[in-house]
Amino acid sequence: MKRLDFLMLEEQDTVPFNRMPITGYEEEQLIYALNLLKSPHSKEHLNRCQEWFEKELGCVRALLTPSCTHSLEMAALLLDIQEGDEVIMPSYTFVSTANAFVMRGARITFVDIRPDTMNIDETKIEAAINERTRAIVVMHYAGVACDMDAIMELAGKHKLIVIEDAAQSVMASWHGRPLGTIGAVGAISFHETKNLSSGGEGGLTIVNNPALIERAEIICEKGTNRKSFLNGEVDKYSWVDLGSSYLMNEISAAFLWAQITARDQIYASRMAIHDTYSKELRDLCTDGRIEVQSFPPGTSHNAHMFYIKLRDMSERNAMMRWLNSRGIKAPFHYHPLHSSQAGRKFGRFNGVDRYTTTESERLLRLPLFYKMNSNQVERVITAVKEFLL
Ligand SMILES: *Cc1c(COP(=O)(O)O)cnc(C)c1O
């Protein structure tokens, strides 16, 4: 473990916003993976991780990918999103949520969010549906679930596909169901900024419909039936469909396996920091000085993020500068996609932007990462209070 210690070194004076989780189990797994790679075609870690997720999530197939962005692209291919289709999603999300579908020729219909969770407002979706609508893409912000009951019911009524961008939501759930397993396909991220990491970049495609398994395997094997060949079902493999290289490498999978092993300690550490923020900032909420995220009934979050909302953009920016002057890195988050250059080109906002823009302008994320120490948490809390008192 000694050789990884330099990664833990913290500059004394700054509190970073994020740190990739390093648990101490990674080195052993990486050395083991290196040895395995001496034998050709080893997929031991990949298979181990995929089987673990299939069991843990209770999904029909879990396929590790190079990133959540790739998983969303896979979903768009797998569900045959094409030119002329419209896809409904919130504007308050990451670019990949939209790009994956725009790349297949779809147009995006953005709808407003709910201010309490920053998630798509399920009551605004129906008005955005027309005869070209094919899919609803939800994004569970901060690992807090969208109202999946309302959304699945609406999708059923209008025969629409539901895709879950569960990038931030590993180990979070909706009425006990893991996020990413409720729609047809879900996508999770193991980017270094997420709760579990595969060493920098990585993702998971969650397939929930058994009818999609075979094609999902073909798409991530470059459009070939190589998987059937490796299973001995066909005697040679060939090009059968669209596809790309959507496979995670063994080194990343080994890193991820170490994190899976240490998931409880990562989760506990993040939860404790989240709880401390909630407790220590409660009075500021009661006094109406700030707002914090809320957790509607049925949601069980994963302490992915702790954000506060200030009065408006100018107060938010002043807080950000104040924290920065005290060595604390606290960033805002998404610029609404519908206002961006590409968003205007490839999509439109349906209905009134009542909350998307104004709420995103008020939001500030506080540092929260595995092994953030109590001094650092205290420093953030003190600085936030000093600014507001
Ligand atoms: C992080 C993130 C992504 C992208 O994940 P990558 O693994 O970096 O491609 C997509 N959507 C949301 C909501 C995210 O937070």
Side-chain angles (χ1 to χ4, degrees):
M1 262 19 80
K2 273 283 163 283
R3 273 166 289 168
L4 284 178
D5 281 352
F6 73 96
L7 289 171
M8 310 271 194
L9 278 183
E10 202 64 271
E11 279 177 89
Q12 283 293 308
D13 303 336
T14 63
V15 181
F17 170 64
N18 183 62
R19 263 289 144 94
M20 175 156 72
I22 306 273
T23 62
Y25 295 100
E26 291 78 8
E27 192 170 17
E28 187 189 333
Q29 288 302 329
L30 288 170
I31 290 168
Y32 179 56
L34 268 179
N35 280 313
L36 283 179
L37 288 174
K38 291 174 189 160
S39 67
H41 311 307
S42 168
K43 294 271 184 202
E44 182 171 326
H45 281 102
L46 184 93
N47 291 332
R48 213 188 265 182
C49 290
Q50 291 186 165
E51 279 160 25
W52 186 83
F53 277 111
E54 280 161 14
K55 196 150 160 272
E56 176 73 14
L57 298 173
C59 61
V60 297
R61 202 79 178 91
L63 298 165
L64 287 174
T65 61
S67 72
C68 179
T69 299
H70 288 86
S71 289
L72 290 163
E73 288 175 26
M74 252 188 93
L77 267 171
L78 184 56
L79 298 163
D80 272 325
I81 300 295
Q82 39 189 278
E83 188 102 34
D85 290 345
E86 288 188 8
V87 174
I88 295 173
M89 66 179 65
S91 169
Y92 187 72
T93 185
F94 189 58
V95 287
S96 297
T97 321
N99 245 337
F101 299 90
V102 170
M103 281 167 67
R104 305 304 313 149
R107 293 201 61 84
I108 309 298
T109 307
F110 297 111
V111 303
D112 209 6
I113 53 168
R114 305 163 37 148
D116 61 341
T117 57
M118 303 298 281
N119 285 337
I120 192 166
D121 183 340
E122 66 282 359
T123 67
K124 301 283 161 55
I125 296 173
E126 193 155 33
I129 297 172
N130 62 39
E131 64 285 356
R132 289 180 301 278
T133 309
R134 280 284 314 286
I136 302 168
V137 184
V138 300
M139 190 275 278
H140 308 291
Y141 189 60
V144 179
C146 298
D147 185 334
M148 291 310 288
D149 290 3
I151 291 166
M152 294 310 289
E153 193 188 318
L154 197 60
K157 180 174 158 198
H158 293 274
K159 304 207 167 18
L160 303 176
I161 301 158
V162 174
I163 297 140
E164 295 178 77
D165 180 342
Q168 305 172 6
S169 307
V170 68
M171 305 204 293
S173 60
W174 168 251
H175 289 289
R177 292 183 69 182
L179 300 186
T181 67
I182 303 167
V185 180
I188 284 179
S189 174
F190 302 118
H191 185 259
E192 63 187 60
T193 53
K194 305 301 202 283
N195 288 24
L196 298 182
S197 167
S198 51
E201 308 284 348
L204 180 74
T205 306
I206 301 166
V207 181
N208 298 313
N209 178 347
L212 296 173
I213 298 176
E214 193 186 342
R215 184 138 186 264
E217 286 172 346
I218 288 170
I219 286 171
C220 61
E221 279 286 9
K222 301 94 186 162
T224 72
N225 55 356
R226 184 161 183 269
K227 182 80 199 281
S228 308
F229 169 71
L230 293 175
N231 290 345
E233 294 152 23
V234 292
D235 56 12
K236 60 181 184 334
Y237 75 89
S238 60
W239 185 19
V240 293
D241 204 336
L242 292 177
S244 189
S245 184
Y246 292 128
L247 304 167
M248 181 182 276
N249 70 72
E250 269 301 288
I251 298 296
S252 299
F255 196 100
L256 181 61
W257 181 251
Q259 303 252 307
I260 288 173
T261 313
R263 66 194 177 281
D264 289 344
Q265 73 196 51
I266 294 176
Y267 185 87
S269 160
R270 298 189 74 104
M271 222 21 120
I273 298 161
H274 200 285
D275 285 348
T276 307
Y277 278 143
S278 299
K279 197 160 122 273
E280 297 293 327
L281 298 177
R282 190 165 296 148
D283 287 349
L284 289 171
C285 296
T286 317
D287 297 345
R289 295 295 285 116
I290 60 168
E291 282 171 40
V292 295
Q293 57 208 128
S294 59
F295 307 101
T299 63
S300 170
H301 73 100
N302 58 355
H304 175 61
M305 191 190 298
F306 193 95
Y307 64 76
I308 60 174
K309 285 183 187 167
L310 287 303
R311 190 178 59 235
D312 54 20
M313 191 199 252
S314 103
E315 192 183 55
R316 190 271 311 270
N317 291 350
M319 170 72 91
M320 198 162 63
R321 283 191 302 271
W322 166 258
L323 294 177
N324 200 43
S325 76
R326 327 233 22 196
I328 297 164
K329 305 288 177 218
F332 53 83
H333 214 175
Y334 308 124
H335 286 292
L337 294 180
H338 75 280
S339 311
S340 67
Q341 191 184 328
R344 287 198 304 268
K345 185 167 168 201
F346 299 118
R348 66 182 176 87
F349 197 95
N350 192 77
V352 182
D353 171 9
R354 170 123 186 253
Y355 294 117
T356 300
T357 300
T358 53
E359 294 300 298
S360 65
E361 289 174 350
R362 300 171 57 203
L363 186 144
L364 189 70
R365 293 178 290 162
L366 300 183
L368 200 177
F369 50 91
Y370 173 63
K371 287 218 172 137
M372 182 177 178
N373 65 45
S374 51
N375 271 343
Q376 292 172 312
V377 180
E378 244 355 278
R379 269 181 66 185
V380 177
I381 290 164
T382 306
V384 168
K385 285 181 173 167
E386 278 171 2
F387 176 87
L388 290 165
L389 295 177

